[in-house]
Amino acid sequence: MTRTNEAGETRTARVAGATAPTGGTQPVYPHTMRLQRFLARAGVASRRGSEDLMTAGRVTVNGQVATELGTKVDVDRDHIEVDGMPVKLNQGAVYLMLYKPTGYLTTMSDPQERPCVADLVPRDRFPGLFPVGRLDRDTTGLLLFTTDGDLSQDLLHPSKHVYKTYQALVDGHLTDRDLGPLRRGIELDDGLCQPAICRVINAREAEAVAPRGVKPGTTAVEVIIREGRKNQVKRMLSKIHHPVIRLHRCNFAGLELKDVSKGSWRELTEREVQILKAGGTPPKQAASKRGTAPATNTASRTRHHGSHGSAPKRNTYRERYTG
């Protein structure tokens, strides 16, 4: 007898009166579930991401391409592959850190065949990888990749206020006092920004954006924000009349860009994964100056939560960060 639960999983139960297996061994019953749920449980991608893999024709079951979203698989018997790589339930989610160089789009494919970050990570080894957020084409630094859709949404959701630390080389002579508008919360064309933590940094600290030193007529600054608007740091600095020449992200959710060279990747340590799952930690500068940058302000709460303070809608990564 086969029973199906609300998750689309089925188990075949032994009919009363049937002969029990001998030798004291437990019978192995067929265990089926929807293919996209199987892929999500195996850590290939989120449920939505798994559906996208299926409709793109990248998933096969027993050698046959499976594009129907209602497809069910027997996890004990069927052979499932993504991009030709076998997938099993016990493989778990994957978490990577990439040192993104300039000239690469933060996308897994581009119809114009421009260089993408997908070219820099092991998609053949870890099917379903996708970037957590994005960096502009000319921005360098820390970019996380994962197959854990739930964690990605948690880190990107506006209500989480995850810290991101950037270093910028800007045009003109900029003083610490000039950064006051950013600390108070500067108004951009899409609304008021949350107060940022920022400071002028020296040439030694700014090696990522000024490898040959900070030349006269330019200034290196560090900006720590807890939002994720498009081109936000660039727009904030342009608003105070110091356009960005180079931009680099050195910290995301408390993780430092270290032990990885430009254009290369590494898997996160278990401790780093736990930091992300705990919602991240503030970088040292934010921890020491937390009083100067409150987590939220009235304007941002109204913008994200609505006038009645209702919980924000959980949009997917692709809906909010691609297109």
Side-chain angles (χ1 to χ4, degrees), residues 97-106 117 120 134-143 248 257 261-264:
M97 174 186 294
L98 172 73
Y99 188 157
K100 178 189 173 298
T102 57
Y104 285 81
L105 298 174
T106 303
V117 292
L120 303 174
R134 63 179 298 147
L135 291 176
D136 296 335
R137 186 176 185 179
D138 59 348
T139 299
T140 64
L142 195 163
L143 184 62
H248 174 81
L257 183 62
S261 58
K262 185 178 293 186
S264 300

Side-chain angles (χ1 to χ4, degrees), residues 34-36 50-52 54-55 66-72:
R34 292 187 185 277
L35 180 54
Q36 59 265 44
S50 297
E51 292 177 352
D52 291 343
M54 292 171 61
T55 56
T67 58
E68 293 294 330
L69 299 183
T71 301
K72 291 186 178 182

Side-chain angles (χ1 to χ4, degrees), residues 97-301:
M97 174 186 294
L98 172 73
Y99 188 157
K100 178 189 173 298
T102 57
Y104 285 81
L105 298 174
T106 303
T107 180
M108 298 306 286
S109 63
D110 180 63
Q112 300 179 40
E113 298 185 352
R114 293 171 293 182
C116 302
V117 292
D119 303 328
L120 303 174
V121 293
R123 287 189 299 166
D124 55 344
R125 180 177 168 189
F126 303 119
L129 274 177
F130 61 87
V132 180
R134 63 179 298 147
L135 291 176
D136 296 335
R137 186 176 185 179
D138 59 348
T139 299
T140 64
L142 195 163
L143 184 62
L144 296 178
F145 282 78
T146 187
T147 57
D148 188 338
D150 291 337
L151 178 62
S152 176
Q153 288 196 33
D154 283 343
L155 292 172
L156 297 175
H157 200 277
S159 67
K160 300 300 182 180
H161 304 291
V162 172
Y163 283 100
K164 309 167 191 71
T165 303
Y166 294 85
Q167 293 177 350
L169 183 70
V170 302
D171 185 43
H173 178 66
L174 179 65
T175 67
D176 193 70
R177 185 175 180 178
D178 294 330
L179 295 170
L182 276 61
R183 297 192 182 102
R184 292 190 294 271
I186 196 166
E187 183 80 30
L188 299 179
D189 56 3
D190 56 353
L192 183 66
C193 292
Q194 295 180 15
I197 298 171
C198 42
R199 64 189 179 101
V200 175
I201 57 177
N202 59 41
R204 179 180 58 82
E205 296 175 289
E207 184 177 358
V209 291
R212 299 181 180 177
V214 180
K215 297 181 180 180
T218 63
T219 308
V221 297
E222 178 183 81
V223 181
I224 303 176
I225 60 175
R226 303 186 74 178
E227 297 173 284
R229 305 190 206 180
K230 187 174 181 180
N231 299 325
Q232 181 175 344
V233 174
K234 291 180 179 179
R235 291 189 293 143
M236 291 168 65
L237 289 165
S238 291
K239 187 75 173 183
I240 60 173
H241 311 295
H242 290 280
V244 171
I245 300 171
R246 296 192 190 95
L247 188 64
H248 174 81
R249 184 161 72 188
C250 55
N251 188 298
F252 182 91
L255 300 192
E256 295 283 350
L257 183 62
K258 61 182 182 180
D259 301 326
V260 58
S261 58
K262 185 178 293 186
S264 300
W265 61 271
R266 68 169 174 84
E267 293 191 61
L268 298 187
T269 66
E270 184 175 344
R271 175 173 172 75
E272 288 172 329
V273 173
Q274 291 307 312
I275 289 173
L276 294 180
K277 290 184 176 181
T281 59
K284 295 177 181 179
Q285 297 88 335
S288 62
K289 301 181 181 181
R290 187 175 291 179
T292 65
T296 59
N297 57 30
T298 303
S300 64
R301 268 201 310 272

